[in-house]
């Protein structure tokens, strides 16, 4: 009798409605596949080279430097030395006064900063425009806040001269973009440089986005975690510096991407108090404090970068130089085997065309998985090389239009990229023999 009543209690739905339809996560599946099968992992986005010495030295100093208070809570909205130096840095970048206490807040990685933006600014029924392809968490985060994502794709325009495509060849159709804005639109998510394509939005493209935001009174959630990873002398342009945009933009950054230490999970937001005050409300009612020691060390690193700003010794100058070389190696490897790379202008990701490899992968007609999923799974299991299917970065409605690509991460040691090249070369030989 007792067990029956216990069973009755267990039959109640436990999952909150806001989790409906967002329970699957590509990273859980592909990180496991990579851990099980890969010899060379170019899947998830993290460097396999060490972070700079000045970062680990700063942490050691924070840890053992005699200030035991660094082991205790710090200011909830950001450790004072970190928000102060971030304010100084962004004053330089945005050309305006930034108050460390009201215009900057520290978060547990950029991921949490994004979550705060949607929770604090998006209501039930609000629409949020997302540019495809997009860092996949934007969609479930909008939905968890009760909002409706509205997608607009970057459309590829292959160059006519037979040259390799660049991420700059993926562009928004201005009329299509404008058609997505309405009185229901609360915000647009901009990610430049863009994960997964590596697109760095041009001044013209940002100008159009800014114009639409101002015209329709729309907020801009600007995910700029790859702000320092821009190649070929291109410049990362900041939408918050456009006329009328500061008051409606939240800029998001990440120490993980900036200092090649993704495990640190220190992120931040910069923006006007009228927006940040609501992010602070979410923060004080959820996480409340971020790790003090990590913030102290990141603050020291930003002090260093502030001093060396624009100089050859600056990490923000050195890192993109090193990554550009790695990008070029991977471009060469992929092009050499017919896996046409789309040359990224920024980030440490590269998307490649796998349409010439269809005959390698068994066609399972019973499977409703898109080709790029089947390909990426087959490749890691049979070749030991891990990458991520591009359709992951699209909404359900548009996924099936983009199944001929996979994404690689090239923030890797030279030896790792060489091992990837060896796998690809061997594969090509097997195909031709
Ligand atoms: N935004 C983008 C575009 C990203 O690619 C990532 C990490 N892959 C994040 C945010 C999250 O950054 P963090 O590790 O600082 O949480």
């Amino acid at each position: 009798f007792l067990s029956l009543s216990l069973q009755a209690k267990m039959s109640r739905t436990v999952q909150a409605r806001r989790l409906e339809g967002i329970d699957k996560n590509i990273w859980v599946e592909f990180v496991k596949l990579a851990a099980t099968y890969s010899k060379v992992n170019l899947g998830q986005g993290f460097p396999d080279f060490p972070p700079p010495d000045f970062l680990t030295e700063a942490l050691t100093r924070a840890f053992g430097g005699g200030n035991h208070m660094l082991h205790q809570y710090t200011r909830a909205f950001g450790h004072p030395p970190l928000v102060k130096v971030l304010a100084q840095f962004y004053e330089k970048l945005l050309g305006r006064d930034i108050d460390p206490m009201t215009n900057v807040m520290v978060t547990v990685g950029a991921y949490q900063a994004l979550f705060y933006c949607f929770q604090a600014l998006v209501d039930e029924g609000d629409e949020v425009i997302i540019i495809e392809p997009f860092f996949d968490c934007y969609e479930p985060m909008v939905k968890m806040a009760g909002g409706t994502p509205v997608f607009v794709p970057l459309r590829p325009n292959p160059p006519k001269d037979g040259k390799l495509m660049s991420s700059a060849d993926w562009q928004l159709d201005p009329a299509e973009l404008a058609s997505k804005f309405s009185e229901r639109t609360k915000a647009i998510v901009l990610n430049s440089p863009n994960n997964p394509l590596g697109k760095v939005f041009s001044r013209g493209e940002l100008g159009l986005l800014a114009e639409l935001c101002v015209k329709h009174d729309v907020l801009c959630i600007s995910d700029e975690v790859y702000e320092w990873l821009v190649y070929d002398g291109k410049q990362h342009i900041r939408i918050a510096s456009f006329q009328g945009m500061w008051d409606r933009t939240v800029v998001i950054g990440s120490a993980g991407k900036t200092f090649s230490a993704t495990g640190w999970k220190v992120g931040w937001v910069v923006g006007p108090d009228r927006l940040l005050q609501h992010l602070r409300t979410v923060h004080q009612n959820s996480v409340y404090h971020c790790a003090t020691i990590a913030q102290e060390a990141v603050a020291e690193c930003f002090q260093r970068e502030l001093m060396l700003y624009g100089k050859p010794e600056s990490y923000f100058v050195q890192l993109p130089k090193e990554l550009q070389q790695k990008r070029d190696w991977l471009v060469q490897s992929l092009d050499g085997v017919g896996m046409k790379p789309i040359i990224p202008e920024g980030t440490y990701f590269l998307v490649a065309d796998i349409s010439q490899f269809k005959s390698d992968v068994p066609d399972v007609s019973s499977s409703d998985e898109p080709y790029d999923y089947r390909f990426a799974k087959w490749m890691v299991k049979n070749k030991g090389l891990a990458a991520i299917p591009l359709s992951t970065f699209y909404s359900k409605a548009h996924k099936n239009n983009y199944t001929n690509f996979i994404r690689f991460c090239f923030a890797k040691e030279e030896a790792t990229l060489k091992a990837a090249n060896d796998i690809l070369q061997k594969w090509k030989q097997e195909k031709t023999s």
Side-chain angles (χ1 to χ4, degrees):
F1 182 73
L2 182 67
S3 73
L4 251 182
S5 71
L6 279 178
Q7 241 178 4
K9 275 190 180 158
M10 296 281 280
S11 65
R12 184 173 179 171
T13 307
V14 290
Q15 181 198 282
R17 268 194 308 281
R18 74 179 74 88
L19 301 190
E20 269 167 30
I22 61 165
D23 50 337
K24 267 209 159 171
N25 180 299
I26 152 88
W27 303 105
V28 175
E29 185 181 8
F30 274 84
V31 166
K32 191 168 159 204
L33 276 170
T36 313
Y37 297 106
S38 78
K39 292 189 201 83
V40 180
N41 185 1
L42 304 188
Q44 207 186 0
F46 59 86
D48 73 346
F49 49 78
D53 288 345
F54 66 80
L55 182 88
T56 45
E57 285 160 10
L59 185 65
T60 310
R61 258 193 303 279
F63 190 73
N67 181 1
H68 67 266
M69 289 315 287
L70 293 175
H71 296 282
Q72 305 306 328
Y73 294 138
T74 181
R75 179 175 166 270
F77 304 122
H79 189 46
L82 181 55
V83 289
K84 279 181 195 156
V85 72
L86 282 171
Q88 278 179 291
F89 219 103
Y90 278 85
E91 275 185 354
K92 220 184 219 326
L93 301 174
L94 297 175
R96 61 171 309 120
D97 287 346
I98 296 195
D99 175 48
M101 299 300 153
T102 57
N103 298 140
V104 185
M105 186 174 83
V106 178
T107 56
V108 179
Y111 219 93
Q112 190 181 46
L114 287 161
F115 187 73
Y116 283 180
C117 286
F118 298 121
Q119 287 296 314
L121 307 172
V122 175
D123 250 326
E124 307 270 328
D126 284 345
E127 291 186 356
V128 177
I129 300 175
I130 298 177
I131 300 168
E132 291 177 307
F134 58 93
F135 181 45
D136 61 299
C137 72
Y138 302 156
E139 181 179 4
M141 283 191 188
V142 168
K143 285 182 175 161
M144 251 193 287
T148 306
V150 171
F151 300 98
V152 59
L154 287 164
R155 298 198 176 273
N157 305 296
K160 294 192 178 55
D161 51 11
K163 277 208 296 216
L164 287 175
M165 215 196 274
S166 146
S167 55
D169 296 321
W170 291 60
Q171 288 169 1
L172 291 163
D173 173 335
E176 188 179 21
L177 174 67
S179 75
K180 305 291 176 186
F181 283 77
S182 75
E183 68 277 10
R184 290 183 303 279
T185 314
K186 183 69 183 283
I188 182 165
V189 187
L190 170 67
N191 174 212
S192 181
N194 160 277
N195 172 12
L197 277 176
K199 180 181 172 69
V200 177
F201 283 67
S202 68
R203 188 170 292 282
E205 289 169 319
L206 295 172
L208 175 63
L209 285 165
E211 205 180 291
L212 287 165
C213 286
V214 172
K215 181 173 166 197
H216 295 274
D217 192 13
V218 162
L219 305 176
C220 180
I221 298 166
S222 186
D223 180 343
E224 302 184 25
V225 298
Y226 300 105
E227 59 195 322
W228 301 108
L229 309 184
V230 177
Y231 312 122
D232 306 318
K234 278 231 159 73
Q235 236 206 324
H236 168 56
I237 300 166
R238 295 162 195 278
I239 198 161
S241 62
F242 281 61
Q243 180 126 42
M245 288 307 289
W246 165 257
D247 283 324
R248 57 180 72 255
T249 302
V250 181
V251 180
I252 296 175
S254 161
K257 309 293 175 182
T258 301
F259 294 114
S260 308
T262 57
W264 281 41
K265 294 295 289 186
V266 174
W268 55 86
V269 289
V270 175
D273 191 34
R274 82 172 189 115
L275 301 182
L276 258 58
Q277 64 172 309
H278 305 301
L279 274 66
R280 291 197 292 271
T281 305
V282 183
H283 186 65
Q284 79 200 13
N285 292 307
S286 55
V287 169
Y288 205 78
H289 283 105
C290 305
T292 309
I293 281 219
Q295 293 188 68
E296 171 80 8
V298 171
E300 204 181 292
C301 295
F302 264 105
Q303 285 292 358
R304 174 191 189 271
E305 288 303 310
L306 199 56
M307 244 167 46
L308 297 176
Y309 188 70
K311 299 208 172 108
E313 308 91 286
S314 158
Y315 193 62
F316 299 168
V317 173
Q318 283 175 353
L319 181 64
K321 252 198 204 156
E322 281 169 29
L323 284 170
Q324 183 171 321
Q325 168 81 77
K326 293 174 192 293
R327 176 198 68 171
D328 294 344
W329 284 331
L330 187 59
V331 163
Q332 253 179 11
S333 296
L334 294 168
D335 193 26
V337 299
M339 211 179 269
K340 288 271 170 251
I342 299 165
I343 300 172
E345 305 153 273
T347 75
Y348 45 50
F349 300 113
L350 186 161
V351 171
D353 187 332
I354 49 166
S355 47
Q356 286 181 34
F357 286 71
K358 289 213 163 113
S359 59
D360 290 62
V361 186
D363 195 3
V364 191
S365 48
S366 60
S367 158
D368 58 359
E369 271 189 328
Y371 165 57
D372 60 343
Y373 266 72
R374 286 189 289 113
F375 181 90
K377 284 185 184 175
W378 177 89
M379 186 168 78
V380 72
K381 286 183 186 168
N382 292 276
K383 303 291 175 191
L385 180 59
I388 304 292
L390 186 71
S391 63
T392 303
F393 303 95
Y394 281 87
S395 61
K396 239 191 195 142
H398 299 155
K399 249 184 210 322
N400 288 330
N401 302 336
Y402 298 91
T403 61
N404 281 335
F405 301 95
I406 52 174
R407 190 202 75 176
F408 293 97
C409 171
F410 57 82
K412 304 293 171 189
E413 298 267 24
E414 190 175 344
T416 312
L417 295 170
K418 193 171 171 312
N421 183 53
D422 291 347
I423 291 175
L424 292 167
Q425 288 301 329
K426 196 163 160 243
W427 187 354
K428 186 184 172 191
Q429 276 163 15
E430 284 163 7
K431 272 162 84 81
T432 49
S433 63

